[in-house]
Amino acid sequence: MQAIIELGGKQYRVSKDTVFFAELTGVAPGNELTIKNVLLVSDNGRVRVGQPFVAGATVVAKVLEEVKGPKLFGLFYRPKKHSQRRWGHRQRYHKLQVTAIQA
C-alpha cells in the first residue's frame, strides 16, 4: 500500500516503513504523528484520489529524531563601498518513519 501525503507544504510518496525528512511538526521525538492530508491511496492496483483529500484515510508516522540540514551561506555585497555581510543557515527537520497507512 502506498500513499501521497501533504506535510509542511510539500508532498511525499510513502509506504509502510518508509523513512523521510519533513519540516518540523511540533511533535516531540519518540511520539506518533497522525497525518490526515492524504492526497492519494494505492492498494493492489486500486487507486483512490482525493478532492483534495481522501475521505477517511490517515497515515501514522513515528517521529524518530530532529536533525539539521546542510549549512547554506548567503552574501550581501555593496559594490564600491567596501561593505559586505555574510550569513549562514541550517534548516531543522524531523526524521519520520511511517508505521501504518489506513484507508
Side-chain angles (χ1 to χ4, degrees), residues 4-6 11 37-41 48-54:
I4 296 179
I5 60 171
E6 180 183 356
Q11 295 178 4
N37 294 350
V38 180
L39 303 171
L40 180 138
V41 175
R48 291 175 49 199
V49 179
Q51 297 176 354
F53 305 120
V54 178

Side-chain angles (χ1 to χ4, degrees), residues 3-79:
I4 296 179
I5 60 171
E6 180 183 356
L7 185 62
K10 297 175 179 64
Q11 295 178 4
Y12 302 94
R13 184 177 74 184
V14 297
S15 58
K16 190 171 183 330
D17 297 327
T18 300
V19 176
F20 65 100
F21 297 95
E23 301 290 326
L24 290 181
T25 57
V27 178
N31 293 336
E32 298 262 323
L33 172 68
T34 302
I35 303 163
K36 296 181 181 179
N37 294 350
V38 180
L39 303 171
L40 180 138
V41 175
S42 173
D43 185 23
N44 295 330
R46 196 177 113 219
V47 178
R48 291 175 49 199
V49 179
Q51 297 176 354
F53 305 120
V54 178
T58 59
V59 172
V60 180
K62 182 177 181 181
V63 179
L64 299 177
E65 63 181 327
E66 185 176 318
V67 296
K68 289 184 178 179
K71 182 88 168 195
L72 302 175
F73 294 100
L75 178 72
F76 182 74
Y77 175 72
R78 297 175 188 91

